[in-house]
Amino acid sequence: MTTARPEKTLNAVPLMGTNQLTVRDLNERLVLHLIRRHGTLTKAEATRATGLSANAVSEIFKALEQDDLLLRGDPVRGRVGQPSVPMRLNPEAKHYLGLKIGRRSFDMVVIDFTGAVMARRSARHDYPTRTALVSFIKDNLRPLLRSAKLKREDVAASGIAIPSELWHWAEDFDAPAEELERWRSFDAQVELDSLLPGPISVENDGTAACRGELVFGPPNDKQDYIYFFIGTFIGGGVVLNGSVFSGRSGNSGGFGPLRIPDEPGGHRLIDHASLSVLERLLADQQSDPGLVHDDRADWSSIEPALSLWITRAARSLAHAIVSAQAVIDFEAVIIDGALPQNIRDRIVTEVDRHFSHLDLQGVYHPEIRAGHFGSIIRAVGAAAHSISTDFMIDQNTLLRKAPPDQFSR
């Protein structure tokens, strides 16, 4: 038994249901969406938040509980009337696999329905090859599932996060162009179908990271924001109307080509705010760049190159944000990356400082925040794709046909 608790503020998600029985699936998605964003929800809270009738909400809760998607919490007493029962997601309802194909590493995770990571396997490389990817999956899938105490048939779906046009920029991280060129004909859904469990989805790695932050991060009161992910090359995603906006080609938020003025070393954001730039700075000071590939390590030993890079990256990110704000007045900016949390925090502070010193006439100053996950979010975000498309509301694609898969080439 629990005592009365303060009521949630549910107006951060401007979604409404309909009492027509023909859209039951939409209403169920809406309730699941709200519970995922707020942790728990009572029938009364769901009724107020959705505009559905109390009877409709009761039937939805009953159906979702019967489908093992929801679990009952302890009754909350201390108010007038019957005690309310908060409902929460059932972690064991579904399990998903996420695979990140990266320029410096492969990463594979299994998550439960709430996004908790049950098992993880990773492998470093100097550059990715298709042969190495297949070997990584074959060597690690069974141990991964065994660690998660799951069987292959327990995995509802697999998601893949991969950089768009992986074969580009070979010269920027010393990879053989002919090896990367082999990725041009790589169709992940076809070639990995026999290796990975369940139906397979494929998404740009920056978009996947953005999706992971949205689906599994703390409740966010912002409906429109930019998401930057600092990896070997910087990328990211866009959130509009509280949902990931992947765009016509699936590459919205591919911020790398944004033009950066008056910055020695290149004219694009990718030339300054990428970890490959930090690697080169470390090589110049004759330091081992290997530490850059471990976001759980202490990076203090790679000074002064680290501070030089943070200043350069932050200054460039500030310019990129101004450009983005001139198109859509985003409410917030979230910056994450394959970085230790303290480095993310330093970058956020520096970006905010540099942004404030730019000419902001006609530009809204967004709230600039740090992300919450680090390098693992690309694989977790890949696993989140099916949760997002099957059990949440996407206001950007509602009643629209899905675009063709842009990652099967």
Side-chain angles (χ1 to χ4, degrees):
M1 181 188 303
T2 58
T3 56
R5 54 179 183 160
E7 293 186 2
K8 298 185 186 70
T9 302
L10 295 170
N11 57 2
V13 183
L15 302 171
M16 296 297 288
T18 171
N19 291 305
Q20 297 297 317
L21 294 179
T22 53
V23 289
R24 173 189 169 192
D25 179 61
L26 177 62
N27 289 336
E28 290 181 352
R29 282 172 178 257
L30 176 55
V31 169
L32 287 169
H33 184 110
L34 290 171
I35 293 175
R36 185 172 296 280
R37 300 311 301 144
H38 295 281
T40 63
L41 212 63
T42 65
K43 293 178 183 178
E45 289 170 337
T47 300
R48 289 195 302 271
T50 64
L52 295 168
S53 69
N55 183 63
V57 168
S58 181
E59 290 300 314
I60 290 170
F61 271 46
K62 183 187 300 183
L64 294 175
E65 188 177 9
Q66 289 175 347
D67 289 342
D68 292 325
L69 294 173
L70 296 183
L71 296 175
R72 289 173 176 261
D74 294 329
V76 178
R77 303 181 187 277
R79 296 178 183 166
V80 177
Q82 293 294 320
S84 58
V85 179
M87 304 295 285
R88 59 185 175 88
L89 298 176
N90 178 8
E92 299 300 314
K94 302 279 183 180
H95 299 93
Y96 300 90
L97 183 143
L99 170 67
K100 184 265 296 184
I101 301 171
R103 290 185 170 88
R104 291 298 194 194
S105 65
F106 299 132
D107 207 0
M108 190 160 53
V109 300
V110 172
I111 65 170
D112 66 20
F113 196 50
T114 65
V117 176
M118 304 176 67
R120 181 184 186 184
R121 291 290 186 278
S122 303
R124 271 269 301 124
H125 48 246
D126 291 331
Y127 54 86
T129 68
R130 291 169 57 169
T131 300
L133 172 64
V134 171
S135 296
F136 171 74
I137 296 172
K138 288 181 175 179
D139 292 344
N140 288 280
L141 181 57
R142 285 186 179 179
L144 180 81
L145 295 176
R146 190 161 51 246
S147 294
K149 299 181 180 179
L150 296 173
K151 298 178 181 177
R152 185 185 180 95
E153 55 267 26
D154 295 327
V155 178
S158 294
I160 299 171
I162 182 172
S164 300
E165 301 184 351
L166 181 57
W167 53 90
H168 279 171
W169 297 302
E171 69 281 359
D172 288 310
F173 68 116
D174 299 324
E178 62 275 12
E179 278 289 356
L180 292 191
E181 184 64 25
R182 296 187 63 223
W183 288 100
R184 190 184 294 269
S185 61
F186 180 70
D187 186 328
Q189 287 179 313
V190 172
E191 299 195 33
L192 301 182
D193 180 66
S194 62
L195 296 177
L196 298 178
I200 296 174
S201 61
V202 184
E203 191 164 50
N204 170 267
D205 61 336
T207 303
C210 180
R211 189 181 301 280
E213 175 74 30
L214 176 69
V215 175
F216 300 130
N220 191 340
D221 60 340
K222 308 301 183 185
Q223 291 291 294
D224 306 307
Y225 58 85
I226 307 167
Y227 176 89
F228 289 106
F229 188 89
I230 302 173
T232 302
F233 297 138
I234 191 166
V238 173
V239 171
L240 294 176
N241 306 310
S243 302
V244 173
F245 181 77
S246 56
R248 181 186 60 81
S249 65
N251 198 34
S252 290
F255 296 112
L258 280 174
R259 268 28 189 183
I260 304 301
D262 305 324
E263 188 71 46
H267 56 271
R268 306 166 301 173
L269 182 62
I270 197 173
D271 298 323
H272 308 288
S274 301
L275 288 178
S276 60
V277 178
L278 178 56
E279 288 184 45
R280 290 196 294 272
L281 290 174
L282 289 171
D284 291 342
Q285 74 172 31
Q286 298 182 330
S287 297
D288 181 9
L291 194 65
V292 173
H293 308 297
D294 185 358
D295 65 346
R296 291 167 290 190
D298 178 3
W299 284 18
S300 60
S301 63
I302 59 175
E303 295 286 7
L306 177 61
S307 289
L308 292 172
W309 174 75
I310 288 175
T311 299
R312 178 175 170 181
R315 198 161 48 221
S316 302
L317 280 164
H319 281 290
I321 293 168
V322 170
S323 297
Q325 290 296 89
V327 179
I328 296 176
D329 53 344
F330 293 99
E331 301 171 88
V333 175
I334 295 178
I335 300 174
D336 206 341
L339 310 160
Q341 182 64 59
N342 68 309
I343 304 302
R344 274 177 272 169
D345 292 341
R346 285 178 63 184
I347 291 173
V348 167
T349 299
E350 279 291 291
V351 170
D352 203 21
R353 185 176 70 83
H354 284 289
F355 187 85
S356 298
H357 288 110
L358 296 177
D359 181 359
L360 301 180
Q361 186 172 2
V363 174
Y364 174 79
H365 193 317
E367 183 177 341
I368 302 175
R369 307 173 174 176
H372 297 87
F373 297 96
S375 64
I376 197 173
I377 194 56
R378 290 167 291 183
V380 170
H385 187 273
S386 289
I387 291 177
S388 181
T389 56
D390 294 345
F391 298 104
M392 297 183 72
I393 298 292
D394 186 340
Q395 296 189 92
N396 298 317
T397 61
L398 197 63
L399 304 180
R400 292 178 56 191
K401 289 184 178 179
D405 182 6
Q406 299 296 323
F407 299 92
S408 298
R409 300 175 186 267

